[in-house]
Amino acid sequence: MATMEDHATRWFNVQSVPHSYTFPPEKRPGKHPFSTCTAIPIINLNSPEKSDTIQKIIKAGRNFGFFQVIDHGVSESVSTEALNVLKELFNMPLEEISRDAIKNGWVHMGSTSFDIDGVHLWRDNIKHPCHPLEKCMQHWPQMPTRYREVMATYVQEIRRLSWRILELICEGLGLEKGFFEEISQVQFLSASNYPACPDPSVTLGVLKHFDHSFITILFQGNVDGLQVFHDGKWIGVGVLPNAFVVNIGTQLEIMSNGKLRSAEHRVMTNSEEDRLTIATFINPSPNCTVEPAKALINESNPPLYDSFMFKDFVVSSNAFGPYTEVVQTKD
């Protein structure tokens, strides 16, 4: 029977799940089939009724912490090309991937290098910063040769989309125009390859966690796997053609003084197909003071969270290692 050691360059090509990838019973997703929740809002950003769009976003951010956007202005060809070039990268021999990562200064977390409580996640993952774009691009993968050009186009489109969504949120919360754009950046990109798994009931692609961003923009490709914890149970965020999943992060929860909520989420594996995703994290600027927006605070709505410098929070909480807990509220 095949083992991980038999497949140095294709670690996931196995017939059974090795012990080092098998989570203890209390952390396993179990044998429940992936079911899509139809209640998670799908919001058309090109709707002529702007006020209705804003209300839907605020309601979704309050009730679920997640929503999907369609008719968003990002060309399908841009997203498809990004997935294609990432597929080329993940299909490269591991030695070539590691050599490129070391040479250019980006992060590759393969199956054997990312270990949670002694158990490996069922995924390959790369990360690299995106701001400032022109400078960061010099440290992105050089192979495939078109990677930098393709992903720069994608990142620029996501930046425009993210600021558009943040501006709608800003208006919905009653904050001044441009409030978030002045203090936010497209901080980094995280792309993950979740190979088909022999037994999804004992593995996870990503453990349950909160995102410590303003918002996270996720392109899911065409295979399900993302789950959100809502009303005491895990629900699936289904794949929609050319849609983006928007996730409210803990920093936006704080600045909205709890009017919006960050949601815990995780990634399941799939027994039939590989799953490839791209997440971009829209974060506060390093020197930004994160605190409830003063316009939202009054005697009847006191601040629910302490203030802090975002750069200090990143260091102290190991944020963006994706397994830190949500920041503490005031007692």
Side-chain angles (χ1 to χ4, degrees):
M1 183 167 291
T3 66
M4 289 292 176
E5 289 72 21
D6 295 330
H7 299 274
T9 60
R10 291 292 180 270
W11 62 267
F12 46 82
N13 185 19
V14 294
Q15 299 171 13
S16 64
V17 177
H19 178 71
S20 61
Y21 291 78
T22 302
F23 280 90
E26 66 275 11
K27 290 188 176 181
R28 296 176 188 175
K31 295 185 178 294
H32 309 291
F34 186 93
S35 59
T36 299
C37 175
T38 58
I40 293 178
I42 300 167
I43 300 173
N44 185 335
L45 289 188
N46 202 33
S47 169
E49 300 296 332
K50 182 181 178 183
S51 60
D52 183 58
T53 299
I54 291 172
Q55 289 178 10
K56 288 179 179 178
I57 289 175
I58 298 300
K59 183 178 180 181
R62 181 175 62 248
N63 294 340
F64 288 94
F66 274 77
F67 54 93
Q68 299 205 59
V69 294
I70 59 174
D71 207 359
H72 40 63
V74 180
S75 169
E76 186 173 4
S77 63
V78 170
S79 302
T80 300
E81 275 301 286
L83 282 185
N84 287 340
V85 78
L86 282 164
K87 187 179 297 184
E88 292 176 34
L89 188 155
F90 283 118
N91 281 335
M92 289 167 50
L94 290 184
E95 309 85 63
E96 292 185 24
I97 296 176
S98 297
R99 187 162 53 244
D100 194 319
I102 292 170
K103 176 183 177 182
N104 291 298
W106 53 276
V107 176
H108 173 237
M109 295 194 293
S111 63
T112 58
S113 63
F114 200 62
D115 181 345
I116 303 299
D117 295 330
V119 182
H120 300 298
L121 297 172
W122 195 270
R123 73 165 183 176
D124 263 333
N125 173 265
I126 68 165
K127 286 184 173 69
H128 56 66
C130 298
H131 183 84
L133 180 61
E134 293 74 17
K135 180 179 180 180
C136 289
M137 282 177 61
Q138 307 309 311
H139 301 284
W140 289 2
Q142 284 186 299
M143 300 294 292
T145 54
R146 63 195 183 98
Y147 181 92
R148 293 178 180 180
E149 178 184 357
V150 169
M151 296 311 294
T153 299
Y154 180 83
V155 166
Q156 288 173 315
E157 290 294 312
I158 296 302
R159 176 184 294 167
R160 281 191 283 269
L161 174 62
S162 64
W163 283 340
R164 181 181 178 187
I165 293 170
L166 283 171
E167 190 58 37
L168 292 171
I169 290 173
C170 183
E171 188 170 340
L173 292 174
L175 300 174
E176 63 185 38
K177 184 177 177 62
F179 180 86
F180 292 114
E181 185 171 343
E182 293 298 320
I183 58 174
S184 64
Q185 301 172 347
V186 181
Q187 191 79 3
F188 71 91
L189 177 146
S190 175
S192 295
N193 177 43
Y194 306 97
C197 175
D199 187 359
S201 70
V202 301
T203 60
L204 281 169
V206 178
L207 283 171
K208 63 180 183 180
H209 66 283
F210 297 89
D211 283 359
H212 294 304
S213 55
F214 274 143
I215 57 174
T216 303
I217 308 291
L218 174 71
F219 187 62
Q220 291 206 84
N222 57 8
V223 180
D224 292 321
L226 175 64
Q227 289 187 316
V228 178
F229 196 67
H230 179 71
D231 283 346
K233 60 183 179 181
W234 289 102
I235 59 176
V237 182
V239 169
L240 295 174
N242 197 33
F244 289 96
V245 178
V246 181
N247 171 12
I248 302 297
T250 58
Q251 309 307 295
L252 186 52
E253 176 178 330
I254 292 166
M255 285 200 160
S256 73
N257 203 35
K259 293 182 182 298
L260 305 176
R261 288 288 185 175
S262 181
E264 200 170 30
H265 51 287
R266 69 182 184 183
V267 175
M268 294 182 66
T269 56
N270 184 292
S271 63
E272 302 296 329
E273 300 180 84
D274 296 355
R275 181 172 185 261
L276 188 60
T277 65
I278 314 171
T280 45
F281 297 83
I282 317 305
N283 300 338
S285 302
N287 292 321
C288 172
T289 298
V290 179
E291 62 185 356
K294 290 179 172 55
L296 303 180
I297 301 303
N298 53 45
E299 289 186 4
S300 59
N301 292 290
L304 300 178
Y305 306 85
D306 291 321
S307 64
F308 52 87
M309 293 285 286
F310 184 67
K311 62 182 179 182
D312 296 334
F313 168 77
V314 171
V315 172
S316 65
S317 66
N318 189 30
F320 308 110
Y323 307 108
T324 48
E325 293 300 322
V326 68
V327 293
Q328 295 297 311
T329 63
K330 286 179 175 286
D331 294 332

